[in-house]
Amino acid sequence: MIKTVKGCKDRYEKDIKLFQYSKRVLSETAEQYGYTEIVTPIIEYTELFQRSVGQDTDIVEKEMYTFEDKGGRSLTLRPEITASIARSYVEHHFETIPSPLRLYYIGPCFRYEKPQKGRYREFYQFGVEAIGDISPLLDAEVISLAFTVAKRFSLKEIKVKLNSIGCKKCRPLYKDALKNALKLRYDDLCDDCKKRFYTNPLRILDCKKESDELKKSLPKIADYLCEECKEHLDAVKKHLTLMDIPFERDSSLVRGLDYYTKTVFEVVSTNLGAQNALLGGGRYDYLIEELGGRHVPAVGFAMGIERLITILEAEEKTVEKRPIIYIAYQENALKETMDIASILRDNDFIVLMDVKGGNFKKQLERSAKQHSLYTIIIGEEEKEKRVLQIKNMETKEQKEIPSDQIITFLKDHIKGEKNA
Ligand code: AMP
């Protein structure tokens, strides 16, 4: 038997319902904030991620699905989408569009990680990018959008964590101070962090293997921020407070991608276990420039849809099913049945036509197995009289109504039941 690829999954039944529902709420929320959708290819040239995410990150070092195509080009299944959007921005001269440019995306990403709860090899990311302005208001807007998403799903147990990782001016000073302190503790570091010490020492701050005692003993980025970064962070905090968004400062929050500057944030949930970040994001003021564009500051976040669904399941959220209308009929009323099915579908009802035939008792049994709300019954007599029988499958009540009143009847009777 051929199975799904390790770390990937099929989505059906309950899974697909929550997945579709999530995508719908996420895109509606982004649209309400004035963000429009962008769809970019799933494959990109490998160089894009090497240059943007960073050569020394876990993603580029260990996790990319990279292959050579038949033309000898090195291609990669995207491990994230911000880099693709920055590439698209430069390639299509989006700087000619009035800024800030507000974009959102939903699509699959791929990382060769050890599969576990909350970590898959194929996963979906929803994300937003606000490109073209340095204002801290934009950071706050993006965080507010993330918070609104959490509210729309009525998520409990969530927290916004906020930090600044400085800019090109102040971060090198902090890195030096950090390395000086870490040098004294080098032997205590885990094997990965021993490597990170040389390549990406900031990542040691959020390594799960290092002890709290070690982390607490290290210098804090807050003490090294330049005036500009300090003012920026204070302004973001002020705007979040104005918007009643609760947050906490977390000086060990650094994020795993190289392109961030100044603001970084995460929304975490206690319902997620070890991989507790529902979403993560921040500013990336130099990324577009590094990909050959002008200096265009930007801010955004990415959320894992599987993690959102995990929280929804933990909080026992279900998506109500839209009612099904089943049609049972006699062979000689097939034309009338098909006409009714078509009118109902045009009016946005979900219609199942029986295909196995047989007597009405059998067809009604099949209707019940499909958990339909109503069964429409059309026999020879109904066809002649231009009426139909409609049976409520819950109350078992059956009524005869003129065929041309079916839409009004259903709209009146299933009002309010058709939601998700
Ligand atoms: P990142 O792009 O690493 O900043 O991750 C942003 C968000 O994507 C995380 O907060 C997760 O919700 C989600 N995510 C990242 N990697 C995975 C993965 N391997 N499986 C599932 N979700 C992931």
Side-chain angles (χ1 to χ4, degrees):
M1 185 179 44
I2 301 172
K3 294 190 172 174
T4 44
V5 171
K6 191 173 171 189
C8 302
K9 63 178 184 178
D10 297 324
R11 291 159 220 272
Y12 52 93
E13 291 190 334
K14 200 170 125 235
D15 250 13
I16 198 74
K17 283 274 163 231
L18 280 174
F19 185 70
Q20 288 173 326
Y21 168 66
S22 303
K23 287 205 300 185
R24 203 160 57 235
V25 174
L26 291 168
S27 44
E28 272 170 18
T29 311
E31 301 262 354
Q32 283 161 358
Y33 274 77
Y35 288 64
T36 53
E37 187 171 9
I38 179 164
V39 179
T40 57
I42 287 169
I43 45 174
E44 297 275 1
Y45 289 116
T46 305
E47 190 192 350
L48 173 66
F49 303 110
Q50 288 167 335
R51 277 174 54 183
S52 55
V53 176
Q55 195 65 52
D56 297 323
T57 57
D58 284 353
I59 295 178
V60 172
E61 262 194 348
K62 307 183 221 163
E63 297 170 359
M64 293 208 303
Y65 280 93
T66 296
F67 59 96
E68 226 175 64
D69 74 0
K70 289 189 168 53
R73 304 166 193 94
S74 179
L75 302 181
T76 291
L77 298 183
R78 64 183 179 197
E80 61 109 49
I81 305 182
T82 302
S84 303
I85 291 176
R87 190 250 327 121
S88 186
Y89 187 98
V90 177
E91 185 174 346
H92 306 297
H93 300 285
F94 287 167
E95 69 274 3
T96 55
I97 302 171
S99 69
L101 176 63
R102 294 176 167 93
L103 299 170
Y104 77 92
Y105 58 81
I106 300 181
C109 296
F110 304 85
R111 293 185 194 174
Y112 192 78
E113 297 195 82
K114 193 164 161 248
Q116 53 189 289
K117 189 169 177 252
R119 274 206 189 288
Y120 309 98
R121 289 186 173 172
E122 185 202 47
F123 58 98
Y124 274 69
Q125 276 193 343
F126 158 78
V128 305
E129 313 292 354
I131 310 175
D133 207 294
I134 186 68
S135 169
L137 252 176
L138 214 50
D139 308 39
E141 173 180 296
V142 163
I143 298 173
S144 142
L145 204 165
F147 191 71
T148 303
V149 160
K151 270 205 309 205
R152 292 276 152 85
F153 288 103
S154 318
L155 303 185
K156 296 176 214 112
E157 319 288 341
I158 60 148
K159 234 189 309 188
V160 178
K161 296 203 296 185
L162 178 71
N163 195 19
S164 172
I165 53 166
C167 62
K168 279 187 170 169
K169 266 187 285 171
C170 54
R171 201 182 324 154
L173 300 176
Y174 175 63
K175 244 187 192 169
D176 284 347
L178 188 64
K179 280 186 91 165
N180 283 337
L182 283 166
K183 225 184 267 168
L184 307 170
R185 304 291 299 266
Y186 185 82
D187 291 338
D188 301 336
L189 298 177
C190 73
D191 289 347
D192 280 338
C193 284
K194 281 188 172 128
K195 259 174 58 196
R196 288 180 186 131
F197 175 83
Y198 296 103
T199 57
N200 201 349
L202 257 71
R203 290 290 291 157
I204 299 176
L205 297 176
D206 74 349
C207 172
K208 299 238 156 49
K209 291 193 193 136
E210 302 306 345
S211 70
D212 285 346
E213 179 277 314
L214 177 123
K215 287 180 194 168
K216 278 199 186 120
S217 73
L218 298 171
K220 302 275 170 289
I221 179 92
D223 300 326
Y224 291 81
L225 293 181
C226 63
E227 253 341 279
E228 190 191 311
C229 286
K230 233 187 268 170
E231 276 172 22
H232 191 92
L233 180 64
D234 285 345
V236 175
K237 283 164 43 181
K238 189 180 96 192
H239 297 318
L240 291 179
T241 309
L242 283 178
M243 290 191 276
D244 291 325
I245 296 174
F247 62 91
E248 65 182 46
R249 178 79 187 273
D250 179 347
S251 54
S252 65
L253 184 67
V254 290
R255 315 278 310 120
L257 302 93
D258 271 3
Y259 51 62
Y260 288 121
T261 46
K262 291 194 168 73
T263 313
V264 287
F265 63 94
E266 278 185 355
V267 173
V268 298
S269 165
T270 43
N271 276 329
L272 279 172
Q275 310 300 332
N276 70 353
L278 168 65
L279 62 91
R283 265 206 168 266
Y284 51 96
D285 291 345
Y286 300 103
L287 177 60
I288 289 174
E289 196 176 332
E290 273 155 23
L291 292 175
R294 295 191 197 155
H295 177 70
V296 184
V299 55
F301 72 76
M303 164 195 284
I305 296 197
E306 290 75 10
R307 294 202 192 166
L308 173 65
I309 292 176
T310 304
I311 306 179
L312 295 177
E313 281 171 350
E315 296 181 0
E316 293 180 359
K317 298 250 162 42
T318 49
V319 179
E320 265 188 59
K321 276 195 181 153
R322 286 178 57 183
I324 292 173
I325 315 296
Y326 199 92
I327 313 188
Y329 56 95
Q330 276 175 340
E331 199 55 38
N332 52 11
L334 187 59
K335 167 75 181 136
E336 288 69 20
T337 303
M338 284 174 163
D339 287 348
I340 296 245
S342 157
I343 292 167
L344 289 176
R345 288 179 184 130
D346 286 347
N347 279 275
D348 203 26
F349 289 103
I350 298 178
V351 180
L352 284 184
M353 258 180 74
D354 191 274
V355 288
K356 290 192 201 297
N359 61 32
F360 282 133
K361 185 168 173 278
K362 284 230 169 74
Q363 295 192 48
L364 278 160
E365 276 168 17
R366 288 196 284 271
S367 172
K369 277 192 186 145
Q370 296 288 344
H371 305 291
S372 63
L373 184 59
Y374 283 101
T375 305
I376 291 173
I377 303 161
I378 314 173
E380 174 118 50
E381 208 183 313
E382 283 78 19
K383 175 180 145 180
E384 296 305 320
K385 284 166 60 187
R386 291 176 189 278
V387 293
L388 38 85
Q389 306 291 328
I390 181 141
K391 183 171 182 138
N392 183 315
M393 300 301 284
E394 280 166 8
T395 62
K396 309 286 177 223
E397 203 183 315
Q398 188 169 317
K399 243 181 116 169
E400 183 177 291
I401 58 165
S403 306
D404 58 6
Q405 283 179 24
I406 182 65
I407 300 296
T408 324
F409 176 91
L410 289 174
K411 279 191 176 160
D412 285 351
H413 285 76
I414 44 187
K415 225 183 262 162
E417 289 179 49
K418 206 183 82 170
N419 50 7

